[in-house]
Amino acid sequence: AQSVTQLGSHVSVSEGALVLLRCNYSSSVPPYLFWYVQYPNQGLQLLLKYTSAATLVKGINGFEAEFKKSETSFHLTKPSAHMSDAAEYFCAVSARPSYNQGGKLIFGQGTELSVKP
Amino acid sequence: ETGVTQSPTHLIKTRGQQVTLRCSSQSGHNTVSWYQQALGQGPQFIFQYYREEENGRGNFPPRFSGLQFPNYSSELNVNALELDDSALYLCASRTQGVDGYTFGSGTRLTVV
């Protein structure tokens, strides 16, 4: 079974400050891990993904995440927040998909990021 | 790349009615999944189709059903609508061998 826990339903940072959004996962198989961002009234946009290659993953818009197996974590960071980063962020886990099976995403509850000027 | 397109964007239905939501995936995306996102929640997996056959289902009752067509389009059908079915419904597709899904913008369904 797989599950995702996002610590903190709401995070507020000042513009230019470090962004840290926390995600812990549980998985009985080697996980694939994802971070998605959702702007109001929109679908989900993939920020980055970990698929068993490098443990430090760089994504779009300056975000990165580090896979730590010992801590079962996949926290999302950005060195300097921008006003345009304000959105809902979702961490998700899946098993490795085969050509016709798997790939089902299990999402966390989401973390709303606010950026203060 | 044309993305994933969902229609309609918004829909209001009455309890007990039936609804069909549509999704048009990118060419070559032979796997499509549907998710339900209630307000303030993360998306929940409904089911997945590969080459027009269902090959995975989440914890949703049989009144949630789907179809996938050879032209990379798909449908989500919900019968006997309940108030709790009010949510954003997201379609996501991928091609064989790709690890991530491309999501559409969703259909906001309100059941009154």
Side-chain angles (χ1 to χ4, degrees):
Chain A
Q2 296 176 308
S3 66
V4 172
T5 302
Q6 291 185 239
L7 303 176
S9 59
H10 186 262
V11 170
S12 182
V13 300
S14 298
E15 192 173 18
L18 171 72
V19 175
L20 171 60
L21 304 182
R22 300 177 186 273
C23 171
N24 288 90
Y25 70 91
S26 172
S27 180
S28 56
V29 297
Y32 279 15
L33 293 158
F34 305 82
W35 275 99
Y36 284 88
V37 61
Q38 186 176 37
Y39 297 98
N41 300 314
Q42 293 191 25
L44 302 176
Q45 181 183 7
L46 180 66
L47 280 176
L48 50 77
K49 61 184 178 183
Y50 166 77
T51 58
S52 74
T55 56
L56 181 61
V57 181
K58 294 186 183 299
I60 62 172
N61 302 337
F63 285 95
E64 64 181 37
E66 186 172 7
F67 171 66
K68 293 187 176 181
K69 184 178 180 180
S70 61
E71 299 176 9
T72 61
S73 69
F74 190 58
H75 302 329
L76 182 70
T77 60
K78 182 175 181 177
S80 177
H82 192 273
M83 296 295 290
S84 62
D85 294 327
E88 187 88 18
Y89 291 80
F90 291 95
C91 181
V93 65
S94 78
R96 177 176 180 170
S98 64
Y99 75 99
N100 67 340
Q101 293 286 341
K104 174 182 76 173
L105 293 166
I106 306 296
F107 286 89
Q109 293 287 85
T111 298
E112 183 182 359
L113 175 66
S114 299
V115 182
K116 299 175 292 186
Chain B
E1 181 173 298
T2 57
V4 177
T5 304
Q6 293 188 242
S7 62
T9 54
H10 296 83
L11 199 55
I12 299 175
K13 287 287 190 178
T14 302
R15 187 172 52 182
Q17 285 188 313
Q18 178 268 341
V19 69
T20 297
L21 310 182
R22 293 181 171 82
C23 173
S24 178
S25 299
Q26 296 175 218
S27 178
H29 279 205
N30 51 22
T31 301
V32 64
S33 299
W34 285 86
Y35 290 81
Q36 180 196 66
Q37 186 180 16
L39 200 60
Q41 308 272 331
Q44 299 288 318
F45 175 75
I46 302 175
F47 46 56
Q48 177 171 287
Y49 280 77
Y50 172 75
R51 292 186 175 177
E52 304 163 47
E53 290 192 7
E54 184 181 302
N55 73 341
R57 189 175 185 92
N59 189 26
F60 281 81
R63 60 189 185 84
F64 285 79
S65 63
L67 286 171
Q68 185 186 25
F69 303 101
N71 65 352
Y72 306 109
S73 66
S74 60
E75 291 180 353
L76 165 64
N77 299 287
V78 187
N79 294 321
L81 284 167
E82 301 177 359
L83 297 179
D84 285 348
D85 296 334
S86 295
L88 179 69
Y89 288 85
L90 295 164
C91 169
S93 66
R94 69 180 177 95
T95 190
Q96 179 179 326
V98 174
D99 301 317
Y101 282 91
T102 300
F103 279 81
S105 296
T107 294
R108 174 75 61 187
L109 173 65
T110 302
V111 182
V112 297

